[in-house]
Amino acid sequence: MAPVGYNWRIPGPGEEGTMDRLTVFDTTLRDGEQAPGFSLTIDEKLRMARQLDELGVDIIEAGFPIASDADAEAVRAVAKAVRRPVIAGLARCARIDIERAGDALKPAARSRIHTFIATSDLHLERKLRMTREACLDAAIDAVKLARRYTDDVQFSAEDATRSDMEFLCRVVDAVIKAGATTINLPDTVGYSTPDEIGAFFTEIRMRVGRADRVIFSTHCHDDLGLAVANSLTALQAGARQVECTINGIGERAGNASLEEVIMTTRVRRDRLPYETGIRTEALYATSQLLVSLTGEPVQANKAIVGRNAFAHEAGIHQDGILKDRRTYEIMRPEEVGVPQTTLVLGKHSGRHAVARRCEELGSTLSRFEVDRVYRKMIALADRQKHISDAELAAIVEEVRAEEAAPGRAPQAVATAAFLAAEPAHTPGERGYGHGV
């Protein structure tokens, strides 16, 4: 349970039923893997799938079976090995795709065929060279065929947010009638803004007569940096499945980041009262596994799992964290699997952080020593980015050696002189960066 004052908490007994349950559809192994540099072998996909199972995702989209024999085998291997979540395979609205997906998913305890076709005029005319009516027929036929393999069929209208609303509603209504159980409406190129996404999902759900028979899903790309915001707005407009990836990987600028979506619903439960099955304490480990498998690092300032997400260098921030970490952290690092808050010693650090780190290294310093160590540390930090524990320990030894040198005033005398010369709280201690 988070301490009083944090913005989120685990629901108490009897409270769980007061929140809507979200289905977390993870597409790290399909859309995420399609990004340049993120390809995974079959064994690597298995390792990642097992970790996603541990994390608690509801659905793992394991691949696109028609894409290659290796992708089909990866889907089959994940379906055999990972038994709790639903295992999904992607398929275009084409018989050969659906048959390949159905075959690859046979070993699954629970399977889903995810079939898709573009519905925007731009895609239909310029990419598919297809009429609207042909698109509608292909979507209906694909869903009916997919239902022969599984009763869990998801239909996606590619480029949905740039599609004609009247035609899109016809397609959605028709595929629901044909047997689709989940309707995914992607913002395929990350073009929409949150207000548009909210109005879009609201209108679709109002206009489609069978909307109450299915789950609506959101799948947002991050081309304008709005994937998470758009996904959350879609949830507020009635979507109850969110498609996302670990570390936000995916085509071009990526997908909505799973860890960001989940922690937003936790931290801001007052605005987003949704339950999921995600074990948030496994988020960091899952992120790090993906990094190790792909060799692609997470940016340092990435929310939730980035190296700096719970790191503080500015002195005024360090002072606040040491007194009460709620001053500068809205969630506890332990809740996402990060071992602890990190106080980085650098040119912006303050005396308080320096003294605390010295204590952790086994050296309790007098106020006079803290000031000397601090000044030497800042001088060194001006020449390099960060100060290591070994460098800090060496500075402490240097200061104490200077104190012990012949001709130096005893520490008590020097400390008294220091205290008399400086006020109890100097402007530097309370100011920007170099505060206590």
Side-chain angles (χ1 to χ4, degrees), residues 28 32-40 247 249-250 290 293-297:
T28 302
E33 199 219 6
Q34 290 176 193
F38 287 88
S39 295
L40 298 171
N247 297 342
I249 68 170
L290 182 61
L293 293 176
T294 63
E296 296 286 344

Side-chain angles (χ1 to χ4, degrees), residues 366-369 409-423:
S366 68
R367 182 185 174 96
F368 176 71
E369 288 175 327
Q411 181 176 310
V413 175
T415 301
F418 168 75
L419 292 174
E422 294 199 13

Side-chain angles (χ1 to χ4, degrees), residues 207-224:
R207 292 179 62 166
V208 173
R210 299 176 177 85
D212 59 342
R213 301 183 187 181
V214 297
I215 292 173
F216 280 85
S217 170
T218 178
H219 176 118
C220 297
H221 279 264
D222 209 34
D223 297 73
L224 293 176

